[in-house]
Amino acid sequence: NIQLGISYSRNKNDAKALIDFDGEPFRFDADSYDDLSQIRAVLTQKFLGKSKVSFGMHLFEQSSNFFSYIFENEQDLENIEDLNPNKVEIDEFLSTAFLNLDFRLFRKFALNAGLRYEDSQLLDKSTISPRFSAAYKLGRNTQASYAYGKFYQTPEIGFDQWYRNNNIDYTNLNFSDLDFEQSIHHILNFEWSKKGKMIRFEIFDKKYDDLITLESQNGCDDSSNLCVYNLLNDGYGFSRGAELFWRYDQTSDGLGQDFWIAYSYLDSKRKFKQFSNEIIPSFASNHKLTFIYKNAFKLANGAGFNSSLAITATSGFPYYDIWNEQQYESKPYLSFDIGGSYLPDIDNGFMVIFFNISNPFGYRNSFGYEYVNFDGSEIKEEKLPSSLRSIFIGCFMFFSIEDQ
């Protein structure tokens, strides 16, 4: 069995950025270019009954460039139109090969083990990472499993806008001085399922090392200077938590009710990017509760109708005041969505009319505040969703015409 995938994308932005400094607008070049191609192949062979071995490779080529400006002092900001941008070029060829063994030697026990090799042209480094998982059936309806893995990732300099917005001096940066960011995962899982009912409990522990951080290169503690940074791999962190999931699926032939409830707890801290201390990442709320309900049924005229209700509630999202080195938390987040679709019975064709209403009661969500302006100055700007509420209505149809 051979699987093969190929993808290619090209993106060019001829852009101008507009900033306002002391009431005076300034425009400057913010062009960027990305050329990405990927090839992935996987060969799978069965052996010893239900066991199988998989071997594969993944080739990823990236050619990107963007303009970067370095502001060393306030005079540079006032005379931004006189600055010459640096063109940052990123040429990456990431080659990956992996071997995976999936053993099914016993009826109640399954074992999966593998190795992954990665070589980065950008970093001029290579890695080998082990992966392992095992599952054991405790009874007819229950099983327990454990998974371990080591993961590597090249810094996303060509994709993450953060690398373009933090006054980083790329002229003195040698990418081969950087390293892979890495993490180690441990996941323990218990699951029970019977006649459409399922309960799953999972705990996990993840450790992060060599995360990207900033290092000042010009003594930015001097009030006359702005911070100019280098990149380092001095970051670290952890994520640990648990999830409880319950589902009751009563559907048959696509009709019926299906609903589930999930609760997760997350404890996470990282020292990374521009933060000098361990902080809770802005996306890591401690508690999350989700309720999903779906119902599909036939109407009297033979048409089908699907309805859905989704509610997600979380504790507040963290945000950080970098000037006073204080971490805060926004108010709790609430997402409420109502959706549905109508499928009329049409001869020689197909039609579906669907809709979704998001936050119909107008609950005002907030993700906290942003404390850093484009020029590194202090602001306090609230981070809000793009809209308070939204309504979407759509229709998809096609018809066939038969020759008589």
Side-chain angles (χ1 to χ4, degrees):
N1 183 16
I2 299 177
Q3 294 178 320
L4 179 65
I6 300 174
S7 68
Y8 173 79
S9 66
R10 180 177 180 269
N11 183 57
K12 184 178 180 181
N13 291 322
D14 295 322
K16 295 284 185 181
L18 175 66
I19 63 175
D20 186 280
F21 184 75
D22 287 343
E24 293 290 331
F26 295 100
R27 288 181 174 85
F28 57 95
D29 290 330
D31 297 347
S32 64
Y33 172 82
D34 296 293
D35 190 286
L36 311 172
S37 57
Q38 296 185 72
I39 299 176
R40 180 181 174 89
V42 181
L43 173 64
T44 303
Q45 178 63 51
K46 288 187 176 181
F47 69 99
L48 297 177
K50 295 183 178 181
S51 299
K52 60 183 178 181
V53 58
S54 299
F55 173 78
M57 64 88 176
H58 182 198
L59 304 178
F60 174 79
E61 186 174 28
Q62 172 193 359
S63 178
S64 302
N65 61 65
F66 59 88
F67 283 126
S68 173
Y69 291 81
I70 300 175
F71 304 106
E72 296 184 356
N73 48 57
E74 292 185 0
Q75 286 71 35
D76 288 340
L77 289 168
E78 295 174 357
N79 302 292
I80 189 173
E81 70 274 11
D82 298 327
L83 288 179
N84 293 319
N86 301 306
K87 188 176 184 180
V88 181
E89 296 187 353
I90 299 171
D91 293 306
E92 168 71 305
F93 185 79
L94 183 68
S95 54
T96 300
F98 57 90
L99 175 67
N100 190 74
L101 298 173
D102 191 357
F103 292 102
R104 297 290 191 273
L105 301 179
F106 307 101
R107 186 171 60 89
K108 292 187 176 183
F109 181 71
L111 178 67
N112 189 295
L115 286 175
R116 183 180 180 91
Y117 169 82
E118 295 177 85
D119 180 78
S120 169
Q121 178 180 286
L122 180 70
L123 304 179
D124 193 24
K125 293 178 177 66
S126 58
T127 66
I128 296 179
S129 53
R131 312 282 171 86
F132 170 84
S133 65
Y136 182 77
K137 288 188 70 65
L138 302 172
R140 172 177 290 185
N141 304 308
T142 59
Q143 74 169 32
S145 62
Y146 166 77
Y148 163 86
K150 194 166 188 178
F151 301 85
Y152 292 93
Q153 177 178 293
T154 55
E156 297 183 329
I157 299 173
F159 302 110
D160 190 343
Q161 291 291 321
W162 177 85
Y163 289 93
R164 308 182 190 186
N165 300 332
N166 279 278
N167 216 24
I168 299 170
D169 183 6
Y170 289 99
T171 59
N172 296 320
L173 176 62
N174 187 347
F175 291 121
S176 62
D177 292 335
L178 298 176
D179 208 338
F180 288 93
E181 298 179 295
Q182 59 176 294
S183 65
I184 296 176
H185 297 188
H186 298 272
I187 302 173
L188 186 62
N189 179 289
F190 172 84
E191 184 176 305
W192 173 89
S193 60
K194 182 180 181 181
K195 296 182 179 180
K197 300 177 182 179
M198 183 176 69
I199 297 175
R200 183 176 67 240
F201 178 69
E202 182 175 285
I203 58 175
F204 59 88
D205 181 83
K206 302 177 182 181
K207 181 183 178 182
Y208 307 99
D209 282 306
D210 296 331
L211 302 181
I212 288 294
T213 57
L214 296 179
E215 178 193 42
S216 170
Q217 71 173 28
N218 69 331
C220 60
D221 291 335
D222 185 337
S223 60
S224 64
N225 290 335
L226 298 175
C227 293
V228 179
Y229 295 106
N230 292 324
L231 294 177
L232 295 177
N233 285 100
D234 282 350
Y236 53 87
F238 68 88
S239 292
R240 52 183 173 239
E243 180 182 79
L244 180 62
F245 177 87
W246 176 82
R247 182 177 185 179
Y248 188 19
D249 185 358
Q250 298 174 287
T251 60
S252 176
D253 296 327
L255 301 176
Q257 300 180 85
D258 182 15
F259 51 95
W260 64 84
I261 301 173
Y263 166 77
S264 63
Y265 169 77
L266 175 63
D267 177 21
S268 180
K269 283 189 175 182
R270 299 183 192 183
K271 179 183 180 296
F272 71 130
K273 292 188 173 180
Q274 72 269 29
F275 303 105
S276 57
N277 303 312
E278 277 189 291
I279 61 118
I280 304 173
S282 59
F283 55 82
S285 58
N286 287 128
H287 306 277
K288 181 178 181 180
L289 181 65
T290 302
F291 172 80
I292 304 291
Y293 172 79
K294 297 181 180 180
N295 189 14
F297 53 90
K298 287 286 188 179
L299 300 176
N301 60 0
F305 190 85
N306 298 290
S307 60
S308 65
L309 170 67
I311 303 173
T312 299
T314 76
S315 55
F317 288 95
Y319 61 95
Y320 191 75
D321 179 356
I322 195 171
W323 304 104
N324 298 306
E325 296 187 345
Q326 293 289 325
Q327 183 117 40
Y328 302 99
E329 185 177 281
S330 70
K331 69 175 185 178
Y333 175 88
L334 178 63
S335 171
F336 191 96
D337 292 271
I338 301 172
S341 60
Y342 174 69
L343 293 85
D345 188 11
I346 299 177
D347 294 332
N348 300 322
F350 173 81
M351 174 186 290
V352 56
I353 302 171
F354 46 89
F355 71 92
N356 187 77
I357 304 173
S358 180
N359 196 23
F361 306 115
Y363 180 80
R364 188 180 184 276
N365 286 305
S366 173
F367 300 103
Y369 290 85
E370 189 77 47
Y371 283 87
V372 181
N373 208 342
F374 73 92
D375 58 359
S377 63
E378 184 175 356
I379 62 170
K380 187 178 180 181
E381 183 175 300
E382 190 173 11
K383 296 183 290 184
L384 299 171
S386 57
S387 62
L388 181 62
R389 60 173 63 87
S390 64
I391 300 175
F392 175 78
I393 301 175
C395 178
F396 174 79
M397 66 183 76
F398 73 85
F399 299 94
S400 63
I401 300 176
E402 298 180 358
D403 293 333
Q404 299 296 327

